[in-house]
Amino acid sequence: MEIKSFQSRARDILEAVVAAVLKDLGFRVNIDSQVKSKDGATREVDVWASKIASSGQFRVYVSCKNLDKEIGRSIVDQEIGRVNQLVDAPNVKFIVSSKINDQAEIAARANGFIPIEVGFKVDQYNVIEAYKRIYRAIKGIFQH
């Protein structure tokens, strides 16, 4: 678990935790990555991970929302729009947050996102528990 190595580069501790999880699962990870968009500009992605698979490059998009409240539909809609603009579409899309409301979860799943609820806002005091929860969730998805 290399959370500390990512913390200096991440704007938020949740991004560092997610990056550490994906690195521990064998991905090459970039935090706050600028990814090419269809309009010729770039879009910032909280965590962009990749690994070589038999079918080519396997890409993972992660939006991290480390808030004291649940995220709603408007946040999910923003992420859907951002992903739809990317030149290289991700193979898997996650939204990781403390909590997501029912409408937002339905919209996320309908648009191919996998929501992961940590259950609390991540900080220096609960970072290990957050890592364990996120690791179990992401590893479980890739194992099935």
Side-chain angles (χ1 to χ4, degrees), residues 30-48:
N30 293 303
I31 298 174
D32 297 324
S33 184
Q34 295 295 320
V35 179
K36 290 182 184 178
S37 64
K38 294 174 184 173
D39 63 4
T42 59
R43 299 286 184 265
E44 185 172 294
V45 177
D46 292 338
V47 180
W48 184 255

Side-chain angles (χ1 to χ4, degrees), residues 31-128:
I31 298 174
D32 297 324
S33 184
Q34 295 295 320
V35 179
K36 290 182 184 178
S37 64
K38 294 174 184 173
D39 63 4
T42 59
R43 299 286 184 265
E44 185 172 294
V45 177
D46 292 338
V47 180
W48 184 255
S50 63
K51 85 170 37 171
I52 301 299
S54 59
S55 60
Q57 189 82 277
F58 185 86
R59 293 176 293 276
V60 177
Y61 173 101
V62 186
S63 175
C64 299
K65 304 299 179 196
N66 196 22
L67 306 172
D68 285 323
K69 59 183 181 175
E70 66 184 16
I71 65 168
R73 174 72 189 257
S74 64
I75 300 266
V76 171
D77 289 343
Q78 288 173 0
E79 294 305 322
I80 293 166
R82 181 175 283 125
V83 168
N84 288 338
Q85 289 300 311
L86 300 180
V87 171
D88 294 323
N91 300 89
V92 177
K93 303 171 286 197
F94 294 105
I95 294 180
V96 180
S97 65
S98 54
K99 179 110 177 86
I100 185 168
N101 73 28
D102 291 342
Q103 284 186 334
E105 182 173 357
I106 290 166
R109 291 188 186 282
N111 286 278
F113 281 83
I114 300 169
I116 297 175
E117 290 183 322
V118 181
F120 48 82
K121 182 176 179 178
V122 179
D123 60 30
Q124 64 195 24
Y125 303 107
N126 59 26
V127 68
I128 301 300

